């Protein structure tokens, strides 16, 4: 059996077109244009690429983008002052501080300075806590994108055995919370997990967010399982996921490629979150199909 490809690129393009339509309607009906502020500290080349593509994506759906670039040596207080200004700025509905931050900064303190209603990355403790307790939250973009792909493929994940490999605050933990909220039976594996191949062989859904090229082997996959590969690893052969794609594809029912799977969903979900944040701050109902 050869698995179906889950085309995240095509799904994300459809999602962005839908968001562009919703943004246009928001402008026409209420005179509101969503605005996203992206803050980059330092000159990390990968981060610069992400920030540029976020700016471009914002413009493409008709939102306003505000880019703030600060030198690597910026004192933390200056960044906090900028965040305070963005929190107070009515033209700004979403604030994203590109991670990682330079070492002299306290990442948690910076992230938690973002007003929760503008926290389009969903990384503040308040939004993480809301997600964990089943309250309306801003949900981290990458796991939200994975959930959308899973629902599209499976209809419902209810009752399914889901294995999330990785426990980061950015991907693994919120992914597990989203699957749990959708009534999957969730296992979270991490660097100290024993017997990972056998855990994986039981899973109807595998979400790999490890950061190690081709880490998940083809013979760990349950026949027919749905495999979501979050990993982005730069290798001599180019970009590679956390799953041995060629081998897993022979066993799985459906699998995301890298590139072209989860990656494009992340930016689309950032736009989705910005639109959701805009609607909420104006007391409007959540836009259709963009929240978990
Ligand atoms: P991270 O380094 O913060 O977390 C990696 C996790 O993998 C940790 O929780 C660790 O416990 C676990 N792990 C490490 N070794 C393991 C092992 N041997 N067995 C089981 N688990 C192990 O990384 P992250 O930020 O969660 O990102 C994970 C991957 O996803 C990276 O490749 C990153 O580039 C990618 N990523 C992609 C997107 C996207 O948009 N597609 C977004 C975010 C992250």
């Amino acid at each position: 059996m050869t698995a179906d490809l889950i085309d995240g690129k095509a799904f994300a393009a459809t999602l962005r077109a839908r968001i562009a339509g919703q943004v246009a309607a928001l402008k026409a009906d209420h005179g509101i244009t969503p605005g996203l502020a992206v803050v980059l500290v330092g000159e990390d080349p990968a981060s610069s690429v992400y920030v540029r593509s976020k700016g471009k994506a914002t413009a493409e759906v008709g939102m306003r983008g505000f880019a703030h670039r600060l030198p690597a040596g910026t004192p933390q207080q200056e960044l906090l002052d900028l965040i305070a200004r963005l929190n107070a700025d009515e033209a700004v509905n979403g604030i994203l501080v590109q991670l990682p931050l330079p070492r002299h900064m306290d990442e948690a303190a910076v992230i938690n300075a973002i007003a929760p209603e503008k926290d389009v990355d969903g990384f503040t403790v308040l939004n993480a806590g809301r997600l964990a307790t089943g309250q309306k939250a801003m949900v981290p973009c990458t796991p939200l994108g994975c959930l959308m792909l899973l629902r599209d493929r499976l209809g419902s994940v209810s009752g399914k055995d889901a294995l999330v490999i990785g426990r980061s605050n950015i991907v693994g933990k919120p992914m597990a919370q989203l699957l749990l909220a959708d009534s999957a039976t969730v296992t979270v594996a991490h660097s100290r997990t024993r017997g990972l191949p056998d855990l994986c062989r039981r899973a109807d859904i595998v979400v790999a967010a490890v950061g190690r090229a081709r880490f998940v082997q083809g013979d760990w996959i349950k026949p027919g399982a749905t495999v979501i590969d979050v990993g982005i690893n730069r290798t001599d052969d180019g970009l590679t996921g956390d799953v041995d794609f060629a081998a897993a594809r022979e066993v799985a029912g459906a699998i995301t490629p890298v590139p072209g799977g989860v990656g494009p969903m992340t930016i689309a979900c950032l736009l989705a979150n910005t639109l959701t944040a805009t609607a909420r701050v104006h007391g409007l109902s959540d836009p259709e199909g963009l929240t978990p």
Side-chain angles (χ1 to χ4, degrees):
M1 189 172 91
T2 303
D4 295 333
L5 274 189
I6 299 177
D7 189 345
K9 199 173 167 195
F11 193 102
T14 307
L15 188 60
R16 280 154 70 149
R18 207 165 76 224
I19 292 168
Q22 289 164 314
V23 170
L26 196 62
K27 265 184 216 172
D29 300 344
H30 301 279
I32 299 166
T33 303
L36 173 66
V38 178
V39 182
L40 174 63
V41 188
E43 278 98 36
D44 179 62
S47 294
S48 298
V49 172
Y50 291 141
V51 166
R52 254 201 314 277
S53 53
K54 282 165 187 170
K56 193 164 153 262
T58 321
E60 275 168 12
V61 296
M63 295 181 179
R64 294 177 72 189
F66 307 94
H68 294 270
R69 288 167 187 273
L70 306 179
T74 302
Q76 177 166 310
Q77 191 54 49
E78 249 176 62
L79 176 58
L80 293 174
D81 292 345
L82 171 62
I83 293 173
R85 285 198 301 278
L86 296 173
N87 283 343
D89 185 345
E90 284 182 12
V92 173
N93 301 108
I95 302 170
L96 181 152
V97 176
Q98 184 66 45
L99 301 179
L101 287 169
R103 284 216 196 126
H104 68 280
M105 291 195 179
D106 174 350
E107 208 157 271
V110 170
I111 293 302
N112 287 314
I114 298 171
E117 66 275 13
K118 297 190 180 188
D119 168 29
V120 283
D121 256 341
F123 293 162
T124 59
V125 282
L126 201 73
N127 278 313
R130 283 175 177 158
L131 174 61
T133 51
Q135 299 175 62
K136 217 182 208 189
M138 295 304 306
V139 175
C141 304
T142 300
L144 177 59
C146 295
L147 184 74
M148 286 183 185
L149 293 178
L150 282 168
R151 283 187 182 158
D152 183 62
R153 168 73 194 179
L154 298 168
S156 161
V157 304
S158 177
K160 301 218 182 289
D161 278 322
L163 174 68
V164 178
I165 315 178
R167 58 173 161 184
S168 71
N169 291 334
I170 294 174
V171 189
K173 279 185 207 154
M175 186 75 251
Q177 294 293 358
L178 284 169
L179 288 165
L180 192 58
D182 253 16
S183 301
T185 303
V186 183
T187 304
V188 182
H190 47 78
S191 50
R192 305 283 178 88
T193 294
R194 294 186 206 156
L196 182 59
D198 283 334
L199 282 178
C200 204
R201 286 183 191 112
R202 295 211 312 255
D204 306 305
I205 295 167
V206 178
V207 180
V210 188
R212 294 175 67 171
R214 300 189 198 91
F215 174 72
V216 176
Q217 306 295 302
D219 68 356
W220 298 8
I221 303 296
K222 178 175 170 176
T226 305
V227 179
I228 304 290
D229 190 349
V230 182
I232 301 178
N233 306 292
R234 283 162 231 284
T235 69
D236 294 341
D237 316 330
L239 280 193
T240 310
D242 289 344
V243 178
D244 183 346
F245 179 80
R249 200 176 176 195
E250 297 308 311
V251 193
I255 186 167
T256 57
V258 177
V262 174
M265 290 300 290
T266 297
I267 289 196
C269 286
L270 174 66
L271 301 172
N273 279 350
T274 303
L275 186 56
T276 300
T278 308
R280 287 181 184 171
V281 80
H282 289 283
L284 304 169
S285 49
D286 280 357
E288 191 70 29
L290 302 185
T291 49

